[in-house]
Amino acid sequence: MTIDLRLDPAEVALLTDLYQLTVSAAFFEHGFNDTASFEVAMRRMPPGRGFMVAAGIERLAEALEEYRFDTAAIEHLESLQLFKTEFLEFLSKLRFTGSIRALPEGTIYFAGEPIIEVRAPLIEGQLIETLALNQLGFASIVATRAARCFVVAGGRRLVDFGPRRAQGADAALIAARSSYLAGFHGTANVLAGKRYGIPVFGTMSHSFVMAHDSERDAFSDFVSSFPTLSTLLVDTYDTVRGVGNAAAVSAKFRAAGVKIQGVRLDSGDLHELSRKTRRILDQAGFRDIAIVAGGNLDEYRIAELADAGAPIDAFGVGAALAVSDDAPATEPDFTYKLVDYKGRARLETSAGKISTPGRKQLFRAYAPSGSFFADLIGIVDEGATTVAREFKPIPAKTVQLMETVFDNGRRIMPRPTLAQARERLMNGLTALDARYKTLRRPAEFPVRQTAALGALVISEKLRADKRQD
């Protein structure tokens, strides 16, 4: 028996909540399958976050390219004894035939803004809700946290150390991909390196040191086996003595023309230990040996160490990134809502869950300095020039952000590379003022609706009231 960490394309359609299938079956039976538009958005910002990063969109697009119910999937649904033969026959022929408009991966966005629009026959749009939220939510949360680490690291290298702490194989892959998109230098995850072309990094284990009778012998053996991957873990026993042993081994190998790359601190007072480590290495003539720090790090701890001037050259970030422990999925509250059906806007008005009706476009205005000025959420056919007139004075530049990725079930834009998404985010972070990137109490970026969308919201609220009569 083999273990496959990647979902078979034929199984993707079954990665859904049961109610998506029962609702779709009822739609089918009663003749509801006209063109519908569904929108993914985020109701509120996670605590302490002033911006979000769009990620996971390409993974969703790849899944939709192969979307189908194969014979095994249909047989499984039939075994549930819930669905009529006619509906199962319909599913057996179903492919995704709709269009997708989305923010390009790596785009910075804010609460309430459209991230993706799925426009398709109603049943197709309903069936992929779970898949869309599954692929977009976690990827965006992790990419945002990684970007926060990048912002405060001040140019120091960052590596994803999270695969052992991630909640499942796919989560580890998403975390590696999202963190690289957000500026990390690489990952410890070898599979992610293979799948996404991300640089892989590693050090050594405590067990390797403990298996030896001498720490110095352990360091020597490891360097002789991996002279170009020689970052030594110095905190298995006493850290300061471990650094001394690393310096002694470095001196021995320097004579043979081999350069030790770094030492890794993984516990204790990282600020104080890094200073002592730097002093020991410098005094031994090893100013070029880097100090790598790990051990329950997050953006807050990285900021503290960087602000204190700790001589750390690189950080490994593990559990905090891989599970996004400060903002689980319930905090940002990603939603997938029907916003248009049969050419008419739709909205939900339940308490705390009111949605915004109609198909939309997101517009970003730039100040003369090139920084983000404000965002406007407008109706899909409003143009950037028209929207810009709602500002006084008119911004230096206003652009629309959502792009058509799919049309008639086919990808119409070239598949972007991970490097392109990474560059887009780097440019966005440069254009985003510091007050929105601070870790604690960031300012709220100005986002509002255009006048046309505001009028649509009012009229559809009145129409929604009538639907209950």
Side-chain angles (χ1 to χ4, degrees), residues 61-201:
E62 289 171 5
L64 293 180
E65 286 179 310
E66 300 289 338
Y67 191 86
R68 66 183 187 275
F69 290 84
D70 71 354
T71 301
I74 296 299
E75 289 176 351
H76 176 69
L77 293 178
E78 188 175 26
S79 73
L80 300 179
Q81 298 183 351
L82 292 171
F83 303 105
K84 296 178 181 178
T85 301
E86 294 80 6
F87 179 63
L88 295 177
E89 289 177 351
F90 168 79
L91 290 183
S92 71
K93 301 173 184 176
L94 186 140
R95 301 291 185 271
F96 181 73
T97 64
S99 65
I100 294 176
R101 292 187 306 116
L103 300 179
E105 285 207 317
T107 300
I108 290 174
Y109 69 93
F110 307 93
E113 298 183 340
I115 304 167
I116 270 192
E117 178 200 75
V118 175
R119 185 165 175 80
L122 179 62
I123 293 174
E124 291 178 28
Q126 185 71 54
L127 285 172
I128 68 170
E129 173 181 352
T130 303
L131 177 64
L133 292 174
N134 175 273
Q135 292 300 303
L136 299 174
F138 180 64
S140 293
I141 292 169
V142 174
T144 306
R145 187 148 210 204
R148 284 158 59 85
C149 292
F150 176 82
V151 167
V152 300
R156 296 167 179 84
R157 297 188 301 276
L158 294 162
V159 179
D160 159 42
F161 278 3
R164 291 178 298 167
R165 308 301 184 197
Q167 295 169 337
D170 198 47
L173 292 169
I174 291 172
R177 185 182 186 279
S178 291
S179 61
Y180 185 72
L181 184 159
F184 273 45
H185 284 70
T187 179
N189 189 331
V190 177
L191 179 58
K194 173 181 179 292
R195 190 167 292 182
Y196 302 122
I198 301 171
V200 291
F201 295 92

Side-chain angles (χ1 to χ4, degrees), residues 286-361:
F286 296 109
R287 296 181 182 275
D288 57 347
I289 290 182
I291 298 175
V292 181
N296 299 317
L297 295 179
D298 59 17
E299 65 267 45
Y300 300 100
R301 186 65 180 129
I302 291 172
E304 290 173 2
L305 291 166
D307 291 344
I312 296 171
D313 302 288
F315 296 101
V317 189
L321 175 70
V323 304
S324 191
D325 59 354
D326 73 323
T330 54
E331 291 297 331
D333 197 7
F334 290 93
T335 63
Y336 185 97
K337 295 294 182 183
L338 178 69
V339 295
D340 180 276
Y341 182 55
K342 296 176 68 173
R344 294 299 303 267
R346 308 286 166 144
L347 85 165
E348 179 180 346
T349 60
S350 56
K353 294 185 176 182
I354 188 168
S355 62
T356 307
R359 303 183 62 206
K360 304 175 194 70
Q361 178 58 268

Side-chain angles (χ1 to χ4, degrees), residues 58 61 65 100-104 401-407 410-416 420 424:
E58 280 306 307
E65 286 179 310
I100 294 176
R101 292 187 306 116
L103 300 179
L401 298 182
M402 297 184 76
E403 300 176 346
T404 301
V405 180
F406 269 67
D407 193 29
R410 296 178 179 272
R411 184 188 289 270
I412 63 170
M413 290 189 64
R415 190 188 305 274
Q420 288 171 328
R424 180 178 293 108

Side-chain angles (χ1 to χ4, degrees), residues 214-334:
S214 161
E215 183 178 57
R216 193 172 294 191
D217 287 344
F219 292 166
S220 183
D221 283 354
F222 191 80
V223 175
S224 66
S225 294
F226 292 97
T228 61
L229 193 68
S230 52
T231 297
L232 305 177
L233 185 61
V234 295
D235 72 335
T236 302
Y237 307 116
D238 178 81
T239 300
V240 175
R241 289 177 62 187
V243 176
N245 284 330
V249 169
S250 298
K252 183 184 78 170
F253 278 92
R254 179 170 57 183
V258 176
K259 176 185 176 297
I260 306 300
Q261 292 181 325
V263 296
R264 177 179 167 189
L265 308 175
D266 206 36
S267 58
D269 184 339
L270 295 178
H271 181 203
E272 182 63 24
L273 287 172
S274 66
R275 289 188 177 279
K276 290 180 178 178
T277 298
R278 188 73 273 159
R279 185 164 56 249
I280 292 169
L281 294 174
D282 289 354
Q283 289 174 353
F286 296 109
R287 296 181 182 275
D288 57 347
I289 290 182
I291 298 175
V292 181
N296 299 317
L297 295 179
D298 59 17
E299 65 267 45
Y300 300 100
R301 186 65 180 129
I302 291 172
E304 290 173 2
L305 291 166
D307 291 344
I312 296 171
D313 302 288
F315 296 101
V317 189
L321 175 70
V323 304
S324 191
D325 59 354
D326 73 323
T330 54
E331 291 297 331
D333 197 7
F334 290 93

Side-chain angles (χ1 to χ4, degrees), residues 39 112 114 338-339 344-350 353-360 377-380 382 448-467:
E39 177 183 284
L338 178 69
V339 295
R344 294 299 303 267
R346 308 286 166 144
L347 85 165
E348 179 180 346
T349 60
S350 56
K353 294 185 176 182
I354 188 168
S355 62
T356 307
R359 303 183 62 206
K360 304 175 194 70
I377 308 169
I379 294 174
V380 65
E382 290 189 87
R448 64 180 176 85
Q449 298 172 354
T450 63
L453 180 57
L456 179 64
V457 170
I458 292 172
S459 66
E460 289 306 316
K461 282 182 180 177
L462 295 174
R463 193 182 303 277
D465 289 339
K466 294 180 180 178
R467 286 199 181 105

